[in-house]
Amino acid sequence: MTDTAATPDEIDDLARRAQDGDRDALEQLLAAVRPRTLNVCRGVLPYTPDAEDACQEALIKVAEKIGTWNQRGRFTTWLHVVAVNSARSTYRRMKNQAVAADPTDSPAMQRPDPRTTSVIAGTRLDLLEAMETLEREHPQFVEPLLLRDVYGLPYEEIARLVDAPLGTVKAQIHHGRRLVRPMLAESP
């Protein structure tokens, strides 16, 4: 590969070779997908150092779990889910650390930071809180909803990725939206 961005076919080829145990291919793959992974993490975590931490965790997961990519869809679609999950895990960890460090709720903490405002749902933090609640109460809706409404993947690709019938995926997304909408409306 050259210094230009790898094509989806090149990334898929590197991933297949890495699954077969080619360490050089794995290193090339991780380097090729790092910018994409960081962008996904930045979509969830607006503070760059947090997004970089989540990106690093995602790349470690990719290296550890590359054998779980089933090769039915693009590697980058599988990577997307790994990156989103890593960013959400990083958010949970930071939230737990913040609560442990300062359990008081100051008024300044309740106002949304305009730098983190998202056109999708009030603030990204509001969306993450809603996804946390949805995951506790209805975990089957979280992944399809994030993949569709936050990352804009087509229904067909989501169905392949989560290994579910297209109608089921559409229903999960519809129900997930219905459950999340009131949580977002309550945001300040």
Side-chain angles (χ1 to χ4, degrees):
M1 284 190 316
T2 64
D3 287 340
T4 61
T7 67
D9 288 337
E10 291 171 330
I11 290 173
D12 286 353
D13 180 58
L14 285 171
R16 281 190 284 279
R17 289 178 24 219
Q19 277 187 320
D20 291 338
D22 184 335
R23 298 296 299 168
D24 290 335
L26 178 61
E27 292 302 320
Q28 291 173 16
L29 175 67
L30 295 175
V33 300
R34 186 183 187 289
R36 178 186 300 260
T37 305
L38 183 57
N39 283 338
V40 170
C41 293
R42 279 186 184 138
V44 177
L45 300 165
Y47 185 59
T48 299
D50 297 338
E52 288 172 348
D53 286 347
C55 175
Q56 187 64 30
E57 288 179 25
L59 294 175
I60 290 168
K61 285 287 184 206
V62 167
E64 291 173 350
K65 306 281 186 181
I66 193 157
T68 64
W69 174 51
N70 61 21
Q71 300 186 24
R72 285 189 296 189
R74 288 280 186 197
F75 177 80
T76 52
T77 302
W78 179 83
L79 171 72
H80 207 94
V81 173
V82 172
V84 167
N85 288 339
S86 177
R88 290 179 63 226
S89 294
T90 298
Y91 170 75
R92 275 189 221 108
R93 185 181 69 245
M94 291 178 349
K95 179 180 166 188
N96 290 339
Q97 288 171 345
V99 169
D102 185 10
T104 62
D105 210 18
S106 71
M109 293 297 289
Q110 294 176 359
R111 285 189 304 256
D113 183 342
R115 293 171 296 164
T116 62
T117 299
S118 167
V119 295
I120 298 167
T123 68
R124 293 176 197 170
L125 300 180
D126 294 342
L127 178 62
L128 286 171
E129 289 294 330
M131 289 297 118
E132 292 291 313
T133 301
L134 186 64
E135 187 169 43
R136 279 191 305 275
E137 297 172 7
H138 304 281
Q140 72 275 21
F141 301 142
V142 174
E143 187 175 17
L145 184 61
L146 281 173
L147 291 174
R148 178 67 187 158
D149 287 357
V150 176
Y151 293 101
L153 294 180
Y155 291 107
E156 296 79 10
E157 192 168 350
I158 296 167
R160 279 193 304 275
L161 189 63
V162 300
D163 196 27
L166 181 60
T168 300
V169 166
K170 287 182 177 182
Q172 288 175 329
I173 291 168
H174 172 75
H175 292 302
R177 285 174 180 157
R178 193 175 39 138
L179 293 168
V180 167
R181 199 171 289 123
M183 290 182 246
L184 298 174
E186 294 171 3
S187 300

